[in-house]
Amino acid sequence: MALKVAVQMDHISSINIAGDSAFALMLEAQKRGHTLFHYTPDRLALCGEKVMCAVEPVTVRDEAGNHFSFGETQRVDLSDMDVVLMRQDPPFDLAYIAATHILEKIHPDTLVVNNPVSVRNAPEKLFVTQFSDLMPPTLITHDRGEIDAFRAEYGDIVMKPLFGHGGAAVFRVTKDDLNYGSLYDFFASTFREPWVIQQFLPNVKHGDKRILLVDGEFAGAVNRVPAEGDLRSNMVRGGAPTDSDLTEREREICARLGPVLKEQELFLVGIDVIDGRLTEINVTAPTGIRAIAKLGGPDVAAMVWDALEARCSS
């Protein structure tokens, strides 16, 4: 069954195809004979009950610098698509939220992945707190007194913006760090929303594991080891991917999360686990598909399309 698939993403000319999961999904869809259309979220238009958009038919190639070709731009009703992949990168800001409201108009008659209502209701660093017993000690606040008390209890901490992504503005603050006051002032003047304060986990030096779940089931994993002298393991920040099997603890985490993700139609999700502790649940544009495949792991893109095709045919 050939599907019409629209991909809402950052402009395809700007992506790094070596690690981009949206591109991996597009390659697999094209291989299966599905028709692909590309658009950026700023082109969405809600006209009454119709969601209109200027899209380009797109052909993709796994060739850096020569990875796509466009056909002639068309104005389409997105409800005529079978699947819309909502795959633009955060920030999870008002523009992102507006896109979820617009795409909600066509889901589920047109299958939007992930469910835009659930994406809107699951900010990644807040949604994870539904499973606080699986996490390291975590505080969400803007209040200096609360952070002081947390730091006094746990010593070394990590501070990061609540709606940050890709490892940006993630800081470790040691219990005797004289930069703490200045860092607090920087966060207070930069971020209006609360921040995430977590106990520092020293074993992050051995890796921050990205685990992908498809329709609530474990699909693949990659361990990301921070570069020398860096706290952050994100591959866009120099983290080195290594192959990885799941520990018993990580399987328990997946088993806890799976039914909730499935119920909320969070179809493709990436969770982050450090030393057996859950730190984030990524529902917007989780990466890792290409890294897992390159390390000889499961073909997660194929799993995604097997499941999507089955859902569209039911």
Side-chain angles (χ1 to χ4, degrees):
M1 175 181 60
L3 302 175
K4 295 170 67 177
V5 180
V7 186
Q8 177 174 302
M9 62 188 299
D10 300 319
H11 198 281
I12 193 169
S13 63
S14 69
I15 66 173
N16 176 5
I17 68 170
D20 193 272
S21 289
F23 190 73
L25 294 171
M26 294 170 79
L27 285 171
E28 180 65 22
Q30 181 174 272
K31 185 170 74 172
R32 293 172 179 234
H34 303 318
T35 303
L36 290 170
F37 299 88
H38 163 278
Y39 72 94
T40 52
D42 57 292
R43 298 185 190 172
L44 288 172
L46 180 60
C47 306
E49 292 300 309
K50 288 188 174 182
V51 178
M52 306 302 295
C53 191
V55 303
E56 298 100 357
V58 62
T59 300
V60 289
R61 295 174 293 275
D62 200 4
E63 303 172 23
N66 183 37
H67 58 281
F68 72 97
S69 298
F70 284 153
E72 186 174 348
T73 300
Q74 308 170 17
R75 182 174 181 265
V76 301
D77 182 340
L78 280 185
S79 66
D80 291 335
M81 298 290 163
D82 298 297
V83 178
V84 172
L85 298 180
M86 187 179 184
R87 290 293 310 183
Q88 80 268 24
D89 285 337
F92 188 81
D93 55 12
L94 288 175
Y96 212 114
I97 290 170
T100 68
H101 281 288
I102 293 172
L103 290 179
E104 180 185 350
K105 294 288 187 178
I106 62 172
H107 180 81
D109 293 331
T110 291
L111 182 60
V112 181
V113 179
N114 288 322
N115 181 335
V117 176
S118 295
V119 169
R120 185 169 68 244
N121 292 338
E124 296 170 343
K125 296 179 179 66
L126 282 172
F127 180 42
V128 67
T129 63
Q130 292 187 26
F131 307 92
S132 59
D133 61 305
L134 302 177
M135 300 177 66
T138 300
L139 174 70
I140 310 291
T141 191
H142 199 289
D143 184 78
R144 174 70 183 262
E146 290 291 338
I147 301 172
D148 287 348
F150 187 89
R151 186 171 175 236
E153 181 173 0
Y154 293 106
D156 288 6
I157 61 173
V158 171
M159 295 176 62
K160 53 188 174 181
L162 184 61
F163 297 115
H165 66 103
V170 176
F171 294 90
R172 175 189 177 185
V173 182
T174 61
K175 61 183 179 181
D176 56 357
D177 194 330
L178 298 179
N179 290 308
Y180 169 58
S182 294
L183 185 60
Y184 175 88
D185 291 343
F186 166 72
F187 270 56
S189 63
T190 306
F191 306 111
R192 293 180 60 193
E193 66 275 8
W195 320 317
V196 181
I197 319 296
Q198 282 183 332
Q199 181 185 31
F200 174 68
L201 300 175
N203 280 338
V204 69
K205 65 185 179 183
H206 300 306
D208 177 351
K209 192 173 294 186
R210 164 56 54 88
I211 301 171
L212 293 179
L213 295 96
V214 174
D215 205 17
E217 300 291 335
F218 167 70
V222 58
N223 194 38
R224 303 166 298 175
V225 180
E228 185 69 27
D230 202 329
L231 164 70
R232 304 163 301 174
S233 59
N234 311 71
M235 286 181 282
V236 295
R237 305 294 175 187
T242 61
D243 61 348
S244 181
D245 293 325
L246 292 193
T247 65
E248 188 61 34
R249 167 68 170 176
E250 290 159 352
R251 292 188 183 279
E252 291 172 4
I253 291 172
C254 290
R256 277 279 303 279
L257 270 57
V260 177
L261 302 179
K262 190 176 182 69
E263 178 185 11
Q264 297 190 24
E265 294 185 302
L266 292 168
F267 189 84
L268 175 59
V269 171
I271 66 172
D272 296 337
V273 179
I274 301 172
D275 197 22
R277 302 289 191 94
L278 178 67
T279 60
E280 289 190 20
I281 302 176
N282 296 277
V283 304
T284 51
T287 60
I289 291 177
R290 304 218 81 184
I292 290 168
K294 287 176 183 175
L295 291 167
D299 187 343
V300 178
M303 293 182 188
V304 169
W305 281 109
D306 285 345
L308 287 177
E309 288 169 355
R311 185 167 297 190
C312 288
S313 63
S314 64

